[in-house]
Amino acid sequence: MKYLSLMVVIPLIGALVTAFVPKHKPRTAKIVALVVSLAVLALTIAAAFAFDAGGERLQLGESYPWIPQWGLRFSFAVDGIALVLIGLSALLVPLVILSSWKDADDDGTGGRRNVPTFFALILALEATMIGVFAASDVLLFYIFFEVMLVPMYFLIGSYGGARRQYAAVKFFLYSLVGGMLMLAAVIGLWVTAKNGLGHATFDWNEIVALAQGGGIPGDLQKWLFLGFFAAFAIKAPFFPFHTWLPDAGGAAPAGAAALLVGVLDKVGTFGILRYCLPMFPEASKYFAPMAIALSLIGILYGALLAVGQTDLKRLVAYTSISHFGFIGIGIFAFSSQAATGSVLYMVNHGLATGLLFIVVGFLVQRRGSQSIADFGGAGKALPLLSGVFFVAGMASLALPGTSPFVSEFLVLIGTFAVNKTVAILAALGMVLAAAYILWMYQRTMQGTLNPKLADVAPMKKDLSLREKVVVAPLVVLIIALGVYPKPLLDVIEPAVQSTMVDIGVSDPAPTAATGAEK
């Protein structure tokens, strides 16, 4: 069965159908979008069962001719890293659709709150997110990488809150600049591959084989690496390319923000693992100290800025800058244990931060404000929502028993085996995480009930059935993977070990699975 192409095509068709639903039938648009997203989730589950964790590196492959004279094909294939990120995308989208059920209601103008268009953009975004993880052709990856900016740009600019247009333009320009740098590197890579292989190709397997055989000279590797890395560092984002994220995350609708930080940002770190390391192994080693330094600064800088935030959504966005520093350190530690922890962190961060943004969205929808000062003691009025908020917060600070703890633990012990100083400094980020998460929770949920909340009728309504359906799967997964992460580790680890082989690293740390069992 052609799982991967169907997972791209179905949401695209669903987006077209949803977009043409009449504006005066918003419920129909919501139902169509939800059904399509659930169909994609079912396909993803089927693909996961068809995937053999102990088999070939790239599986479920499909390839269709496109522009033969350029060596360009529609080629899809996944390894364990791509598969778990596709699974994260397919899970979050229907939950985001449900969580946005009322956020996107038409305001009667037929403009900014055009409900069919909102959900069509969500489905279009899903197609591009799955496409970027599934592509095994370098140019096809680049095309999805760029096109995915478009639906998110309109979700922020047309459906966001204050300063939405500024945030949307800033997001688009930052990403576009990174994309242009990567395009130059893609063209250079194509010329190099054509000269080295004797034929035009963008095929990932062929280019990696060329790189492993010494077909890409060291100096050229450095320039090509920088072109790809710049785009991925902006997308992730790493310090100092991070400034677009707090604006975009703060202005975007809560559901779109959950996808932005939960999935889109992972394209950057995924790209480093899939493209930078295997295709430019020598350049990856050369620039590793720089990447680790940027990641370490991001951990501490993002955490310190998060502590001082007065806006709920911007605070959550700054926490992600800190978390991505851990992912970056794990990748460039060149240890299979640390890198496996990084990939697991991508998934667990998506679950925890996705839940955090969704819950913050519920709070903002009730209060009509995302300022922390406008809450205070809200847990007394919303005990169940307060409890879910607490779980999301504890997961974000990597409390033992939640899934992000396993990720941070693997990253830190894998990094410690390589560079003790970096691991110790990174661990300070965990201390700061406790500060910003606990302070956020205390200022919003605990203490004396803010008198202003008594006059806000929606603040008296705890989680509805629809909202419970949204948060329940994420809470269950966060706890389940915190207790028993082995199913994901078994899928991720073989792909990570293959990447370590590509860059010729002798791994000083035990494998992730072995470490987890111990």
Side-chain angles (χ1 to χ4, degrees):
M1 187 172 181
K2 307 299 184 182
Y3 294 107
L4 300 178
S5 56
L6 284 174
M7 284 190 281
V8 174
V9 171
I10 288 176
L12 277 179
I13 296 174
L16 288 173
V17 173
T18 305
F20 283 102
V21 172
K23 295 178 183 178
H24 62 276
K25 294 185 177 181
R27 182 175 175 81
T28 301
K30 297 173 185 178
I31 292 173
V32 170
L34 181 61
V35 169
V36 170
S37 66
L38 290 174
V40 174
L41 178 59
L43 269 175
T44 305
I45 294 171
F49 280 105
F51 186 86
D52 180 8
E56 297 180 1
R57 182 175 186 174
L58 293 181
Q59 299 181 41
L60 309 179
E62 304 174 39
S63 187
Y64 309 98
W66 187 7
I67 309 176
Q69 60 269 34
W70 291 359
L72 186 58
R73 302 177 65 86
F74 281 105
S75 296
F76 299 103
V78 293
D79 59 6
I81 300 170
L83 182 64
V84 296
L85 292 174
I86 289 174
L88 174 65
S89 307
L91 172 67
L92 283 181
V93 168
L95 298 181
V96 163
I97 289 173
L98 273 177
S99 71
S100 305
W101 206 258
K102 291 185 177 180
D103 287 353
D105 279 346
D106 199 327
D107 63 358
T109 68
R112 179 169 171 261
R113 294 298 182 187
N114 185 322
V115 175
T117 300
F118 177 88
F119 288 101
L121 289 170
I122 293 287
L123 291 178
L125 183 63
E126 180 178 32
T128 58
M129 290 189 302
I130 293 175
V132 81
F133 294 129
S136 60
D137 178 282
V138 178
L139 185 61
L140 185 62
F141 168 84
Y142 170 77
I143 291 170
F144 280 117
F145 182 89
E146 289 289 80
V147 173
M148 71 191 308
L149 303 178
V150 178
M152 183 54 72
Y153 169 81
F154 284 108
L155 283 168
I156 298 172
S158 298
Y159 296 88
R163 291 169 59 85
R164 61 184 178 274
Q165 293 180 354
Y166 167 80
V169 171
K170 189 174 182 179
F171 159 75
F172 194 87
L173 289 179
Y174 266 69
S175 299
L176 189 63
V177 168
M180 292 299 100
L181 293 173
M182 186 165 73
L183 177 60
V186 167
I187 294 171
L189 188 63
W190 179 81
V191 173
T192 303
K194 185 176 181 181
N195 293 335
L197 297 171
H199 63 275
T201 184
F202 284 105
D203 184 80
W204 182 87
N205 282 306
E206 290 190 77
I207 293 173
V208 169
L210 177 67
Q212 300 307 306
I216 305 179
D219 289 340
L220 179 59
Q221 276 195 32
K222 292 176 184 178
W223 287 108
L224 296 178
F225 173 93
L226 287 174
F228 278 87
F229 181 78
F232 297 145
I234 291 171
K235 179 71 74 177
F238 288 159
F239 175 90
F241 311 107
H242 65 282
T243 58
W244 64 266
L245 181 59
D247 291 317
L259 292 177
L260 174 66
V261 179
V263 181
L264 262 71
D265 289 358
K266 309 302 184 300
V267 174
T269 45
F270 167 80
I272 292 172
L273 276 168
R274 169 62 73 84
Y275 294 92
C276 288
L277 269 59
M279 295 195 304
F280 318 117
E282 297 305 317
S284 297
K285 295 174 187 176
Y286 180 83
F287 289 110
M290 175 197 72
I292 289 176
L294 295 180
S295 299
L296 191 57
I297 293 171
I299 290 174
L300 302 177
Y301 181 74
L304 287 171
L305 288 180
V307 171
Q309 294 304 305
T310 59
D311 181 290
L312 276 171
K313 290 165 73 175
R314 286 180 67 87
L315 190 155
V316 177
Y318 273 113
T319 68
S320 294
I321 296 170
S322 182
H323 294 153
F324 268 90
F326 283 100
I327 297 173
I329 285 175
I331 292 172
F332 285 98
F334 297 142
S335 155
S336 64
Q337 189 171 56
T340 300
S342 289
V343 177
L344 188 63
Y345 209 149
M346 294 184 212
V347 178
N348 291 334
H349 176 267
L351 296 174
T353 307
L355 177 61
L356 199 53
F357 259 120
I358 287 171
V359 172
V360 165
F362 292 160
L363 286 170
V364 171
Q365 184 184 33
R366 285 166 168 77
R367 181 65 180 92
S369 169
Q370 53 194 60
S371 173
I372 294 175
D374 287 335
F375 291 88
K380 293 180 173 61
L382 306 167
L384 189 55
L385 181 54
S386 174
V388 177
F389 193 24
F390 182 76
V391 171
M394 293 304 99
S396 187
L397 65 81
L399 185 75
T402 62
S403 55
F405 170 76
V406 182
S407 312
E408 283 193 11
F409 181 73
L410 289 174
V411 167
L412 290 175
I413 61 174
T415 303
F416 189 83
V418 178
N419 191 318
K420 295 177 176 58
T421 302
V422 170
I424 292 170
L425 290 174
L428 294 177
M430 301 176 70
V431 178
L432 293 172
Y436 60 68
I437 290 296
L438 293 176
W439 196 21
M440 174 183 69
Y441 187 79
Q442 188 274 331
R443 287 184 291 171
T444 54
M445 294 295 167
Q446 295 184 320
T448 305
L449 183 67
N450 188 335
K452 296 179 181 178
L453 299 184
D455 300 327
V456 182
M459 286 299 297
K460 300 176 183 179
K461 299 178 181 178
D462 211 341
L463 289 177
S464 66
L465 177 60
R466 172 182 59 84
E467 292 169 336
K468 291 175 185 176
V469 171
V470 171
V471 301
L474 295 175
V475 171
V476 169
L477 283 172
I478 286 170
I479 295 174
L481 292 175
V483 176
Y484 190 67
K486 190 174 184 298
L488 279 185
L489 291 174
D490 288 343
V491 175
I492 293 167
E493 189 178 31
V496 168
Q497 290 178 338
S498 296
T499 304
M500 294 298 106
V501 171
D502 287 339
I503 58 177
V505 170
S506 177
D507 193 354
T511 62
T514 303
E517 289 168 2
K518 290 181 180 178

